[in-house]
Amino acid sequence: MFNIGKLLACAGLMASLALPAAAQTYLTEDTSYDFRARAGVSVDWKLAGGLTLSAGEELRFKDNVSSFSKSYTDIGLSYKFGKHFKAGADYTFIYGNDIRHRADVFATGMLRAGRWKLSLREKFVLTHRTGEFNVYQQPVNALDLRSRFKAAYDIPRSHIEPYGFCEIRNTLNAVKYPGTTAATMSYSDVYINRVRTGLGFEWGLSRHGALDFYGLADYNYRKKYDAYGPSAKRHDYGD
């Protein structure tokens, strides 16, 4: 169903989508650095056939790991169709400065070539934001598409599996101002707003447990608007 050529071609297409955004010139802010950390646990239950129920909890820390950022509590259901395809859906409760509800559906193509494990995942994500915030700057329900290519290597006679991945995120309904005032605002802007790359390894402790360690490089790009209402708007690009 899947082969290496198809997976590499899809990965190349994902990378080429980022070129138009990179070629544009925008005002940018000064670069800032922060050391952050994440710690989480997840469990899977094989229900029947290829059906799997999963649940997990993750804590995130920021400001050089000195303060709490967010917690993610998720539950999901997936089904594996043979060796090369998996699909599913997840719900995530996000707690931080505000409360957010996130739902997603995904499809993953998988291929094993020798000891290499290759996968390409496409995920549609809907995030519902609660609390008080300016709807002229961001939508209540944000929709994005996340495309991730991952390659892992199974080291012979070892429980260690190193891997690398690249994920490109496209916002599908960001705030857009075709005119000069906020009265022209619509939720219709589509652009690449995040690129994530990572390297890590999974350490299998037993048939039923493993530890996962990784480092993540996260590039964010977001159009920023300072909008007060239908009659006033100031905008800057970049992030």
Side-chain angles (χ1 to χ4, degrees):
M1 184 181 298
F2 292 90
N3 56 48
I4 295 178
K6 291 181 180 179
L7 284 170
L8 293 180
C10 292
L13 177 61
M14 289 162 51
S16 66
L17 291 174
L19 294 179
Q24 302 178 53
T25 301
Y26 296 119
L27 300 174
T28 59
E29 298 177 345
D30 293 336
T31 301
S32 61
Y33 298 92
D34 185 20
F35 182 74
R36 303 188 178 193
R38 301 178 180 181
V41 60
S42 62
V43 291
D44 296 333
W45 295 275
K46 302 291 185 181
L47 300 181
L51 190 64
T52 300
L53 177 67
S54 61
E57 179 72 23
E58 182 179 276
L59 301 179
R60 298 186 180 184
F61 303 89
K62 61 181 180 178
D63 299 330
N64 296 316
V65 203
S66 64
S67 62
F68 170 77
S69 175
K70 297 175 184 177
S71 67
Y72 289 71
T73 305
D74 65 82
I75 185 169
L77 196 65
S78 64
Y79 189 84
K80 191 173 183 180
F81 301 84
K83 297 181 179 180
H84 303 295
F85 187 75
K86 180 171 67 174
D90 302 285
Y91 165 76
T92 305
F93 177 80
I94 305 173
Y95 175 78
N97 293 330
D98 58 6
I99 292 176
R100 303 181 190 184
H101 303 276
R102 177 171 294 170
D104 68 74
V105 292
F106 68 88
T108 304
M110 300 164 290
L111 175 69
R112 180 149 190 165
R115 292 195 170 273
W116 285 98
K117 298 178 182 179
L118 308 177
S119 65
L120 178 64
R121 185 190 69 190
E122 299 291 343
K123 178 187 288 189
F124 283 98
V125 182
L126 175 67
T127 303
H128 174 72
R129 186 168 184 167
T130 65
E132 296 183 1
F133 63 95
N134 194 335
V135 295
Y136 289 95
Q137 296 175 345
Q138 52 192 317
V140 175
N141 298 302
L143 180 65
D144 60 76
L145 171 65
R146 304 180 182 183
S147 304
R148 188 195 70 182
F149 177 75
K150 180 180 179 180
Y153 185 77
D154 183 13
I155 299 177
R157 296 179 296 278
S158 170
H159 299 290
I160 303 296
E161 185 176 279
Y163 63 84
F165 66 88
C166 177
E167 180 180 86
I168 296 177
R169 296 187 180 183
N170 289 267
T171 178
L172 302 179
N173 67 333
V175 169
K176 184 175 184 179
Y177 288 90
T180 57
T181 67
T184 64
M185 184 270 291
S186 65
Y187 299 118
S188 59
D189 205 359
V190 177
Y191 61 90
I192 293 174
N193 65 341
R194 176 169 287 185
V195 178
R196 284 182 165 179
T197 58
L199 292 174
F201 67 91
E202 185 176 290
W203 180 16
L205 302 178
S206 68
R207 292 181 57 188
H208 304 290
L211 296 177
D212 190 7
F213 302 90
Y214 64 91
L216 178 68
D218 194 359
Y219 172 77
N220 293 280
Y221 168 80
R222 183 169 64 90
K223 298 180 181 179
K224 299 173 62 179
Y225 298 95
D226 191 2
Y228 308 101
S231 60
K233 174 182 71 73
R234 178 181 66 82
H235 64 84
D236 299 303
Y237 293 100
D239 199 3

